Amino acid sequence: MEFTLESPIDMHLHLREGAMMEHVTPMTSKDFAAAIIMPNLVPPVDSLERLLAYRKQIRNAKDGDVFDPLMMLFFRKYTKEELLAAKEHIFGIKLYPAGATTNSEAGVQALGEVEETFALMEELDIPLMIHGETHGFVMDREREFLASYEHLARKYPKLRITMEHITTRDAVELLDKYANLYATVTLHHLMITLNDVAGGLLQPHLFCKPIAKRPEDREALLQAALQAHPKLMFGSDSAPHPVSKKECCGCAAGLFTAPVCLPVLVELFEQHAALDKLQAFVSGNAQRIHGYTPPAKTVTLRKTGMTVPERYGEVVPYRGGETLAWAVAEIS
Ligand code: DOR
Ligand code: ZN
């Protein structure tokens, strides 16, 4: 049995820098035609100069693959001149509330202090991507942030806003309330709940931000993905950390899913008799929402089985050691 995807796009990816970037980039650039590269480096990617240098490193690391790295600036106050200069080189700007997640210390302290930049982004048609969590109780952080999404969506009706890696039923429901509000969802939030993370022995390799939520939240996300909800896009949030930073006291947040995204997605959509929706979920919706055409790349998966390595160097992948039903068989 065979299944073919045209130009899959990962709308949310962490590649890091240096040796880690060189190690993980080919795992995405092999299977995907394009990916949004998140800018939460140390220091963050918050200048055009740094962004262009980072893009060059990624292009060198992609091993000749047909792959378009879609670059993001790290949100700070930007002047109109800076935004005009950056516009043709960036896909959008990623906003992190300060301290919300990995390497976000330089993020925004208060949304109310940076409204000028939102207005400029709206004027220049630069998309805004947001890590939407407050500093409240961990299970409530996303839900508490939804009011901020609503505020921005109302105040800047022409600004394209993406709620990144949504994890709750409430966020899914918000999608239908504002024309300019979109979302990405990860593979892992379609698969796991908090029980998988902390219901038995603690599973550091399933710990991420936002944390996986309740079964009814996962169900709402899954139903939206299986229908290829027109405002929902696949974004893996694959976020590699070395094993020493995961299996320790003070475990870093992030799942490394890059090598298994497509096989697991195909298995999931097949199980739910929704394979006809997968193309829209992993590419079509993003193309339509952002008016973006990825490079041509045909990815064929076959039901030959694939045993996922326990480790890729220093990184432990999602489903490591398990055998998956599908494998990427051909890329052209
Ligand atoms: O789990 C996460 N890891 N969530 C994020 O928002 C950031 C990411 C990372 O960069 O490690
Ligand atoms: Zn992320």
Side-chain angles (χ1 to χ4, degrees), residues 55-73:
R55 186 175 67 185
K56 197 165 166 194
Q57 291 161 20
I58 295 166
R59 284 180 174 162
N60 286 335
K62 76 187 171 75
D63 232 1
D65 291 332
V66 170
F67 176 72
D68 194 8
L70 307 171
M71 305 307 291
M72 300 289 284
L73 276 177

Side-chain angles (χ1 to χ4, degrees), residues 12-14 16 38 40 94 96 101 131 164-165 186 209-210 236-239:
H12 185 134
L13 178 68
H14 298 271
R16 316 303 189 202
M38 289 300 169
N40 59 330
K94 173 73 182 284
Y96 292 91
T101 189
H131 181 117
E164 292 296 334
H165 45 50
T186 72
K209 293 194 172 173
S236 70
D237 202 8
S238 180

Side-chain angles (χ1 to χ4, degrees), residues 236-307:
S236 70
D237 202 8
S238 180
H241 292 278
V243 69
S244 58
K245 291 270 162 58
K246 293 292 285 180
E247 297 179 5
C248 62
C249 185
C251 160
L255 275 80
F256 180 57
T257 53
V260 301
C261 282
L262 293 185
V264 178
L265 276 173
V266 170
E267 184 171 353
L268 180 66
F269 276 61
E270 182 193 30
Q271 279 166 356
H272 292 272
L275 274 176
D276 59 319
K277 302 292 188 197
L278 188 53
Q279 179 65 43
F281 178 58
V282 300
S283 190
N285 285 354
Q287 292 190 43
R288 177 179 33 77
I289 290 166
H290 289 290
Y292 167 70
T293 305
K297 186 170 196 168
T298 302
V299 182
T300 302
L301 293 100
R302 292 212 181 91
K303 226 172 178 173
T304 52
M306 160 190 179
T307 301

Side-chain angles (χ1 to χ4, degrees), residues 2 5 8-10 63-64 69 77 80 87 104 113 118 127 140 149 177 183 185 218 226 249 251 267 286 316 323 329:
E2 208 172 87
L5 285 167
I9 308 172
D10 183 344
D63 232 1
K77 282 186 188 176
K80 189 164 183 177
K87 186 174 154 64
S104 63
E113 292 168 7
F118 297 141
D140 296 335
Y149 283 128
K177 283 179 66 180
V185 66
R218 177 182 58 181
L226 293 172
C249 185
C251 160
E267 184 171 353
V316 175
T323 299

Side-chain angles (χ1 to χ4, degrees), residues 30-259:
K30 179 173 80 62
D31 289 359
F32 288 85
I36 285 190
I37 313 301
M38 289 300 169
N40 59 330
L41 307 183
V42 186
V45 182
D46 67 354
S47 72
L48 180 57
E49 191 187 5
R50 183 148 161 72
L51 180 139
L52 294 176
Y54 187 36
R55 186 175 67 185
K56 197 165 166 194
Q57 291 161 20
I58 295 166
R59 284 180 174 162
N60 286 335
K62 76 187 171 75
D63 232 1
D65 291 332
V66 170
F67 176 72
D68 194 8
L70 307 171
M71 305 307 291
M72 300 289 284
L73 276 177
F74 188 98
F75 188 98
R76 60 168 169 80
K77 282 186 188 176
Y78 288 100
T79 64
K80 189 164 183 177
E81 289 66 37
E82 285 176 312
L83 293 178
L84 280 169
K87 186 174 154 64
E88 64 175 298
H89 304 287
I90 65 175
F91 202 83
I93 302 184
K94 173 73 182 284
L95 186 152
Y96 292 91
T101 189
T102 310
N103 303 340
S104 63
E105 292 71 23
V108 170
Q109 296 289 347
L111 292 178
E113 292 168 7
V114 294
E115 299 250 348
E116 281 158 56
T117 303
F118 297 141
L120 286 170
M121 290 173 67
E122 180 183 46
E123 182 190 333
L124 300 177
D125 193 26
I126 296 175
L128 174 64
M129 285 72 169
I130 302 185
H131 181 117
E133 288 196 283
T134 67
H135 297 284
F137 180 66
V138 69
M139 289 293 279
D140 296 335
R141 287 175 184 179
E142 181 173 291
R143 199 167 43 75
E144 288 173 359
F145 196 89
L146 296 180
S148 298
Y149 283 128
E150 294 201 64
H151 165 78
L152 293 173
R154 258 193 240 117
K155 187 156 180 191
Y156 306 101
K158 294 210 177 75
L159 179 62
R160 245 175 297 153
I161 303 168
T162 303
M163 304 187 280
E164 292 296 334
H165 45 50
I166 57 170
T167 60
T168 59
R169 176 186 298 254
D170 298 310
V172 174
E173 286 170 2
L174 203 58
L175 275 177
D176 295 324
K177 283 179 66 180
Y178 297 92
N180 56 335
L181 208 49
Y182 304 90
T184 60
V185 66
T186 72
L187 172 63
H188 45 284
H189 290 112
L190 300 177
M191 303 291 295
I192 67 171
T193 70
L194 185 58
N195 258 18
D196 297 291
V197 186
L201 295 177
L202 191 64
Q203 301 300 318
H205 297 291
L206 299 180
F207 171 63
C208 64
K209 293 194 172 173
I211 196 130
K213 304 285 187 316
R214 308 181 66 85
E216 51 269 39
D217 293 308
R218 177 182 58 181
E219 187 56 25
L221 298 166
L222 184 58
Q223 288 312 320
L226 293 172
Q227 292 159 28
H229 186 296
K231 298 174 85 184
L232 188 64
M233 299 164 274
F234 172 66
S236 70
D237 202 8
S238 180
H241 292 278
V243 69
S244 58
K245 291 270 162 58
K246 293 292 285 180
E247 297 179 5
C248 62
C249 185
C251 160
L255 275 80
F256 180 57
T257 53

